[in-house]
Amino acid sequence: MGQQAQTYLRRVSGAISNIDRATMLRQQPATIWLTGLSGSGKSTLAYELEHRLIGAGHACYVLDGDNVRHGLSGDLGFGTEDRRENIRRVAHVAQLMNDAGLIVITALISPMHEDRMMAREIVGSERFVETYLSASVEICTQRDPKGLYAMAHSGKISSFTGVSAPYEAPESPGLLVETAKETVSASVARIYDYLHERYLNPS
Ligand SMILES: Nc1ncnc2c1ncn2[C@@H]1O[C@H](COP(=O)(O)OP(=O)(O)OP(=O)(O)O)[C@@H](O)[C@H]1O
Ligand SMILES: [Mg+2]
């Protein structure tokens, strides 16, 4: 069905260019693609960063895995194929939001290198910042903010990244944030400064 539509539909566009939107919003669109184990700090940093960006007058939005799985990806599970499909959908939403001029912060474990490369391809390389939140399984197990590691270690949940499913750490991420070694505010500042240098225009 999707393939068929692609053969006869043409893209359409209006009079507003990406430059018009960037000028109005005083920012270049970007997708900060957070990746890391459960408990590495994706949601914490995503919402703190959003708060700081909005406070500085920038338009942004968080796409959190825990939220999209209630609607957009409500039909998907946690097997390899379903995780890939979840990432594909979120990447397309991020791409659309970037086209609207927003800065997007995604918070998905996104454990597989190949799937993150797919997301980069969908979003567009110049807008995509792979941001690796590095924290060991031991640290994340100690934090266990949702009690999921306890359930995974006792076998109550399966296919849990870092325990019973793989995590492929990025080898050369755009940004490395070692959340076990610094405070939340220091981590937020690191990402904000990176964005500020490359994507946020002076007012
Ligand atoms: N520098 C830091 N950055 C982010 N979180 C930190 C940092 N230092 C400590 N933490 C703590 O680590 C925990 C991270 O939990 P959080 O829910 O953000 O993880 P997550 O990556 O979103 O997990 P999940 O994939 O299960 O949604 C929080 O309790 C947070 O306070
Ligand atoms: Mg989270």
Side-chain angles (χ1 to χ4, degrees):
M1 179 79 170
Q3 283 298 96
Q4 199 186 7
Q6 281 164 24
T7 60
Y8 60 82
L9 294 181
R10 297 279 176 275
R11 287 185 184 274
V12 290
S13 58
I16 307 301
S17 70
N18 288 344
I19 295 171
D20 294 332
R21 291 183 213 277
T23 305
M24 182 186 76
L25 292 167
R26 297 182 297 104
Q27 63 188 33
Q28 308 297 324
T31 292
I32 302 296
W33 191 278
L34 304 179
T35 173
L37 295 172
S38 176
S40 61
K42 300 179 298 297
S43 298
T44 303
L45 293 184
Y47 289 110
E48 288 290 328
L49 179 63
E50 179 188 53
H51 189 244
R52 180 150 177 205
L53 282 164
I54 297 276
H58 292 288
C60 66
Y61 193 75
V62 175
L63 293 170
D64 192 297
D66 283 1
N67 296 339
V68 298
R69 280 179 174 281
H70 290 280
L72 180 71
S73 295
D75 55 326
L76 301 176
F78 288 88
T80 309
E81 288 307 314
D82 278 8
R83 284 180 193 248
R84 176 168 303 141
E85 175 61 10
N86 185 40
I87 288 166
R88 190 190 70 81
R89 292 180 194 179
V90 170
H92 275 291
V93 175
Q95 187 262 324
L96 290 170
M97 288 184 161
N98 280 170
D99 266 357
L102 302 186
I103 288 168
V104 177
I105 308 157
T106 66
L108 281 72
I109 295 172
S110 37
M112 308 309 281
H113 172 76
E114 198 180 302
D115 296 348
R116 296 192 298 267
M117 290 306 99
M118 173 186 66
R120 176 190 293 277
E121 181 84 23
I122 292 167
V123 168
S125 200
E126 70 293 345
R127 290 175 171 177
F128 187 91
V129 185
E130 186 184 44
T131 304
Y132 175 33
L133 306 195
S134 155
S136 65
V137 179
E138 291 71 29
I139 293 283
C140 293
T141 301
Q142 279 168 31
R143 290 176 176 169
D144 205 7
K146 302 178 194 163
L148 296 176
Y149 280 92
M151 288 168 75
H153 284 296
S154 67
K156 285 198 185 112
I157 42 176
S158 57
S159 300
F160 193 78
T161 304
V163 177
S164 45
Y167 180 78
E168 296 176 351
E171 281 174 12
S172 49
L175 196 51
L176 170 67
V177 184
E178 297 185 285
T179 70
K181 294 189 182 163
E182 62 189 14
T183 62
V184 171
S185 57
S187 294
V188 170
R190 181 183 305 287
I191 308 174
Y192 186 90
D193 290 349
Y194 183 96
L195 267 173
H196 193 260
E197 252 178 50
R198 293 163 180 81
Y199 297 99
L200 307 182
N201 298 348
S203 44

